[in-house]
Every structure is written in structure tokens, then in C-alpha cells.
Amino acid sequence: MLAHRASEYIIPADSKRPTYANQCKSLTAYRKTSPALQKVQSQVLQQTLRRLEQAFVSMWEQNHGFPRFKKVGTMRSFVFPQMSAGSIENSRIKLPVIGWVKFRQSREIPSDAKVGQVRIVRRVSGWYAMITLQWNVEVPSITPHGEPIGIDVGISHFAAVSNGKLFPNPRPFKKLERKLKLLQRSVSRKVFGSNNRKKAQFKVSKLHERIANVRAYYHWLLSHNLCDWAGMIFVEDLNLKGLARGFLGKHCLDAGWGEFFQVLEQCCRKRGVFFLKVNSKKTSQICPNCLTETGKKDLSERVHSCHHCGYTTDRDVAAAQVVLIRGLAAVGHTGLACFLRVKRLRSP
Ligand SMILES: [Zn+2]
């Protein structure tokens, strides 16, 4: 017998590895005896096994933990991997087995698009359908052009741009976070398992969703703002997992930089702006004017002041300028990078 990490799940050592294929077989057999499973379309159940297989594979190959047993209610979404033709019309969708369901269609579906999979997601505010479409589009390859900017994300500002612009941390977050703390405290005061606790917990979940929405809105707003006046945008290729683990952990998850970069990249593609991630090493330790290493700065040190050439600017702006220079070098505009440096020397 083989017990894994002192968990309660015991699999005989000589049994076959639980793969998607052999679990599907067992599912078919089990489904015949289970009325509850018969109510759900078999493809939907199989998709769950796919997820389970992924969890097993990451245990075998990446030494992740044993897949956790899911209680009723822990899975927040399910997938219909195949949809029949004509299953979406006039703000209603025909889900296999379930039938026609009315929904608020947020955008038009192109007439030549083929509906791929549909994922039904449960959020606090209701049920959502995430529809994957497939149709022929020309994706133009975007070449570096126009005004180049570098962006540095930080804690004291949300983002700093190489031209000196600073975007502050969005203010509504502070207010919402305070509210969240109050609500969370009210949950902890209620009796465990009581109805009042459930009600309070619901309020917390609702606020979480609202914060996520506000954040996404801000990310899109900022991305469009940047795309308005830039032809190429360079950002740092941050090791977000490493950062989140480090001492900046909480801050960097709060700010959602990874999410912001994803939104920014998507926005750039839509607007025809060139987007590139560059090496993020030591961006805050190099002088963008003379490229000398100035040594590590303390987090409280807000100003970059080069002891070599005397160039002085905001610390985050300096880092953004280093990102810009690296980006321009990466796309082969080294001449332009030098030109920028000369320009800055003349007009400090
Ligand atoms: Zn310098």
C-alpha cells in the first residue's frame, strides 16, 4: 500500500495510474448506477476528469500535492466542450440536457463564428456563460513604430512612465479595502455555521467581486490612456511568483500587476500598439542617463540622483527609462536610445 504525504487517500501500489482515459471508463460504469450523475451531460463530467488528470500529472511531474477532494459547492464552473450549431440566438443559449436558457448577451457574435466551448461560471452576482468563439480573422503583425514608452510598476505609484508621468494608486481601493476589513470582522463575530454568518459572508464575497471589477476597469482605463499616445510600450518581465513570495508579497498581489500587464498586452494588440516585455533585472539600480550602476536603493529613497553624471529624477521614472532603453535596444533602435539620452542631457 502507498500512502501519500500522510493523507487519507490510499491507492494500492500496483494499481494503474488514474488517467483521464481509464477514469472515463469507470465513470461510464458508475454513471449507470447513479441517478444524480445521470442528470448531468456526460461530456461535462468528463471535463472534470480532465481537470483531475491535470492535478495528478502536476503531482507526478512537479511534485505538487495530492489532488484535494472537492466538496459540494467548491467547483465554481463547468464546461460544455461541444455546442451544436445554432445553440445561441436572440439572447438565449441552448445548453445540452439543460435546454434553452435566457441570458444577457454582452456583445454580438459574428455570423461566421463557430461556437467552441461554453463555460458556465458561478459568481456571487449570478451565473455567467463564457463563450469561446472561433472564426477567421487577420491578425496583423505589429511592428515597432511611433512614440516609445517604458513603464515601471511600483508600490508608491501604480505605474511610472518614462516621460515622467506618474499614475497614482487608484483611490477607490483604499475605501473598499477598509470596508472589506469591517465586513470580515463582522463575519468573525458571528456564530460559526449560523445564518447570520452566512449572510455576512455573502456580503464579503460580493465586495470581493466588486473590488475585482473596479480593478479591471482601472486597468483597462489606464491601458487605453497609454495606447492613446504611444506606438510602442515596454514593460518589465516581472517574476511575479517570486515577488509575491518575497517581502513585497501582499503589496504586489494587491496591485495586480500581472493582471494589468495582461490587460495592457490585450489592449495594445487591439489598438495596434507594439508591446514587449524586457528583462527586469536591476532596473532601479541603473542610471538611465549614463547607464552606470548606482547601487541598490532603499525603498524609502524616492529620488534617483546619479553621483556619476548628476542626473536627477523620480526613482520610478528612472526605472521606467531604463525599461525604455532596454526595449528600444531589443527592437534594434539603439540609435534612438542614444538620441533620447542626448536629448535628456541637454534639457534636464
Ligand atoms: Zn548617471
Side-chain angles (χ1 to χ4, degrees), residues 40-189:
V40 187
Q41 199 212 14
S42 56
Q43 281 184 327
V44 172
L45 297 172
Q46 285 167 0
Q47 290 304 306
T48 315
L49 291 180
R50 268 228 192 278
R51 270 169 81 171
L52 179 62
E53 187 190 50
Q54 268 165 18
F56 270 120
V57 167
S58 47
M59 178 184 82
W60 296 323
E61 284 169 11
Q62 287 155 39
N63 214 6
H64 287 185
F66 196 92
R68 264 183 298 173
F69 185 76
K70 296 278 191 276
K71 278 188 284 189
V72 173
T74 34
M75 303 281 266
R76 274 177 301 181
S77 73
F78 56 93
V79 192
F80 293 103
Q82 264 179 341
M83 298 292 283
S84 49
S87 51
I88 298 175
E89 54 173 51
N90 302 334
S91 291
R92 54 183 207 146
I93 181 167
K94 193 183 184 187
L95 301 172
V97 182
I98 296 171
W100 286 103
V101 179
K102 265 202 275 183
F103 77 120
R104 204 187 69 79
Q105 198 171 328
S106 58
R107 63 181 82 173
E108 273 302 303
I109 291 172
S111 54
D112 54 339
K114 192 175 161 277
V115 179
Q117 66 169 40
V118 172
R119 179 178 284 278
I120 308 294
V121 187
R122 180 176 196 165
R123 296 209 179 118
V124 189
S125 52
W127 295 87
Y128 291 79
M130 282 165 64
I131 300 164
T132 311
L133 299 172
Q134 189 191 344
W135 80 96
N136 289 330
V137 273
E138 288 228 346
V139 183
S141 63
I142 303 161
T143 46
H145 66 281
E147 176 85 17
I149 57 170
I151 295 169
D152 175 76
V153 287
I155 288 162
S156 52
H157 308 283
F158 181 81
V161 183
S162 51
N163 62 4
K165 243 188 181 172
L166 291 168
F167 291 91
N169 274 312
R171 212 173 285 158
F173 286 159
K174 278 254 158 72
K175 223 169 109 193
L176 290 173
E177 258 158 28
R178 220 173 300 138
K179 205 171 160 193
L180 184 67
K181 260 197 191 131
L182 282 175
L183 286 178
Q184 278 169 335
R185 208 172 305 151
S186 103
V187 171
S188 62
R189 275 202 224 101

Side-chain angles (χ1 to χ4, degrees), residues 78-299:
F78 56 93
V79 192
F80 293 103
Q82 264 179 341
M83 298 292 283
S84 49
S87 51
I88 298 175
E89 54 173 51
N90 302 334
S91 291
R92 54 183 207 146
I93 181 167
K94 193 183 184 187
L95 301 172
V97 182
I98 296 171
W100 286 103
V101 179
K102 265 202 275 183
F103 77 120
R104 204 187 69 79
Q105 198 171 328
S106 58
R107 63 181 82 173
E108 273 302 303
I109 291 172
S111 54
D112 54 339
K114 192 175 161 277
V115 179
Q117 66 169 40
V118 172
R119 179 178 284 278
I120 308 294
V121 187
R122 180 176 196 165
R123 296 209 179 118
V124 189
S125 52
W127 295 87
Y128 291 79
M130 282 165 64
I131 300 164
T132 311
L133 299 172
Q134 189 191 344
W135 80 96
N136 289 330
V137 273
E138 288 228 346
V139 183
S141 63
I142 303 161
T143 46
H145 66 281
E147 176 85 17
I149 57 170
I151 295 169
D152 175 76
V153 287
I155 288 162
S156 52
H157 308 283
F158 181 81
V161 183
S162 51
N163 62 4
K165 243 188 181 172
L166 291 168
F167 291 91
N169 274 312
R171 212 173 285 158
F173 286 159
K174 278 254 158 72
K175 223 169 109 193
L176 290 173
E177 258 158 28
R178 220 173 300 138
K179 205 171 160 193
L180 184 67
K181 260 197 191 131
L182 282 175
L183 286 178
Q184 278 169 335
R185 208 172 305 151
S186 103
V187 171
S188 62
R189 275 202 224 101
K190 306 270 187 304
V191 180
F192 202 82
S194 68
N195 250 342
N196 276 336
R197 195 185 171 102
K198 262 183 220 153
K199 273 186 221 159
Q201 187 59 54
F202 180 73
K203 275 189 193 162
V204 169
S205 318
K206 240 166 81 174
L207 189 60
H208 268 300
E209 191 179 325
R210 186 169 144 64
I211 291 174
N213 285 345
V214 170
R215 181 173 293 152
Y217 174 78
Y218 178 75
H219 289 166
W220 277 105
L221 201 70
L222 183 54
S223 298
H224 274 295
N225 188 334
L226 293 169
C227 285
D228 279 344
W229 40 272
M232 28 183 156
I233 294 181
F234 304 108
V235 301
E236 305 156 87
D237 193 1
L238 290 172
N239 173 8
L240 286 167
K241 267 201 184 137
L243 276 179
R245 244 180 256 137
F247 73 106
L248 294 177
K250 195 179 166 289
H251 291 286
C252 106
L253 288 177
D254 276 356
W257 295 324
E259 212 179 307
F260 170 58
F261 286 166
Q262 265 176 13
V263 168
L264 182 60
E265 189 171 4
Q266 222 176 318
C267 190
C268 284
R269 206 180 309 133
K270 272 189 183 171
R271 305 263 316 249
V273 173
F274 183 79
F275 177 90
L276 188 74
K277 283 183 178 173
V278 300
N279 184 0
S280 65
K281 238 183 192 169
K282 292 185 179 172
T283 43
S284 61
Q285 298 170 33
I286 289 169
C287 171
N289 200 37
C290 62
L291 301 180
T292 331
E293 244 182 77
T294 53
K296 249 190 175 144
K297 286 192 191 77
D298 201 63
L299 264 182

